[in-house]
Amino acid sequence: MGRGGASTALLAPERRSEILSLVRRNKSVLVKDLCARFGVTGETIRKDLTLLEQEGALIKTYGGAYVQDGVKNEVDATIRETLYTESKAAIGAACAALIGAGDTLFLDESTTCLAVARRLLERESLTVVTNSLKTASLLAASGKGKLVLSGGELDRKNQCFVGGGAEDSLSAYYADKCFVSCRGADRAAGLTDGSAAGGRIRSLMFRHAKERFLVLDHTKLDKTHFYHICDFSAVDAVVVDFLPTGVWREFFRDRGIRVLEALPRP
């Protein structure tokens, strides 16, 4: 309950105002958390979110809502997993086709890399090194291949391990291939993350891999976020759902970066 239970007595407009303040501050909210905070049903919260979306204040999704503003924008992993699922599934399939028997892989904590992991469940000869709790749980349940999960502090919002402990443990490993996503990709700013903790992990994975794949959906292009991961000079190939304009295609071609588009362009 918020403020010792006072939130349960709020009128609907007051409750929606508080919800909007929460999502602007935290960048995302979950329906289950809002139900607990305000002491109302999921149906009531979903109606609130629908009205706020109609006003253009947020974006409603399955299980919650989020906003896209702010360079330190970090959306809860539970919500991110429900976004652009077709694109992520196609990217996951394209990445799996690049992975050979016996490869050692880095997979970051992104839900795009989680889609890659779903395509590896029957592979027995792979070694996967990750800081993602979701990816580790998925691969552990499959009983196939070898799995290395980093140490570190659990970031509950992103369902991954970060901090000095994670960086120290991951720095001991090298991989044949790494698959890393980002919160934003900009031709001038390079690859950026919503947090320094996550950005440092991704940068480390790039530095410790022989082949470096950037995996992202088209909505990440032309966006800049809080922490600089690396420049495009660190990227060997890009796996994307599709490139919306020829400008990015020319940009990658000029830098010798391979591009795999996993979906037909709309």
Side-chain angles (χ1 to χ4, degrees):
M1 298 289 188
R3 292 199 296 269
S7 293
T8 60
L10 292 178
L11 298 174
E14 296 173 321
R15 185 178 62 248
R16 288 193 289 273
S17 178
E18 283 212 13
I19 290 171
L20 186 55
S21 294
L22 286 168
V23 75
R24 284 175 173 167
R25 182 166 67 248
N26 299 321
K27 307 306 180 185
S28 64
V29 290
L30 299 178
V31 169
K32 65 180 182 64
D33 293 339
L34 296 176
C35 290
R37 182 183 181 93
F38 296 106
V40 296
T41 66
E43 181 182 2
T44 296
I45 292 297
R46 283 187 283 272
K47 286 180 180 177
D48 287 339
L49 296 178
T50 296
L51 286 171
L52 289 169
E53 183 177 49
Q54 289 170 352
E55 294 170 3
L58 50 72
I59 301 168
K60 181 185 175 187
T61 186
Y62 181 82
Y66 67 102
V67 292
Q68 294 181 309
D69 61 315
V71 296
K72 290 190 73 173
N73 187 314
E74 289 189 275
V75 177
D76 193 287
T78 303
I79 291 177
R80 286 190 284 113
E81 197 173 348
T82 69
L83 303 176
Y84 310 108
T85 53
E86 181 184 2
S87 291
K88 291 173 183 176
I91 291 168
C95 290
L98 300 170
I99 297 168
D103 277 348
T104 295
L105 313 172
F106 281 132
L107 295 179
D108 75 4
E109 52 82 15
S110 65
T111 54
T112 306
C113 281
L114 180 61
V116 178
R118 289 194 177 102
R119 293 286 181 160
L120 306 178
L121 297 180
E122 298 305 315
R123 302 280 191 96
E124 296 188 0
S125 59
L126 299 178
T127 299
V128 175
V129 183
T130 186
N131 69 318
S132 166
L133 183 58
K134 283 179 173 286
T135 291
S137 298
L138 180 73
L139 294 176
S142 77
K144 302 290 180 67
K146 296 179 181 178
L147 173 66
V148 177
L149 177 61
S150 77
E153 178 183 350
L154 177 62
D155 176 344
R156 286 183 172 82
K157 188 171 190 177
N158 290 301
Q159 288 292 287
C160 66
F161 294 92
V162 295
E167 293 168 37
D168 288 346
S169 61
L170 290 172
S171 67
Y173 297 96
Y174 290 83
D176 297 301
K177 298 179 176 76
C178 74
F179 296 87
V180 168
S181 192
C182 62
R183 290 289 292 142
D186 179 81
R187 291 186 293 279
L191 312 186
T192 53
D193 203 292
S195 75
R200 284 193 293 267
I201 295 289
R202 289 180 162 113
S203 178
L204 189 158
M205 288 180 173
F206 268 127
R207 294 195 306 273
H208 281 220
K210 291 180 180 178
E211 287 188 87
R212 301 160 297 186
F213 296 88
L214 172 64
V215 297
L216 76 172
D217 65 78
H218 71 281
T219 65
K220 307 286 184 64
L221 299 173
D222 299 307
K223 303 283 177 61
T224 303
H225 285 269
F226 177 66
Y227 185 84
H228 179 256
I229 299 169
C230 64
D231 295 323
F232 280 99
S233 58
V235 178
D236 295 313
V238 173
V239 186
V240 63
D241 51 353
F242 61 88
L243 295 176
T245 68
V247 174
W248 274 101
R249 195 168 290 103
E250 293 173 11
F251 176 84
F252 292 133
R253 185 185 61 231
D254 291 346
R255 284 153 183 79
I257 299 172
R258 289 181 290 146
V259 176
L260 289 81
E261 293 182 80
L263 288 176
R265 270 169 276 164

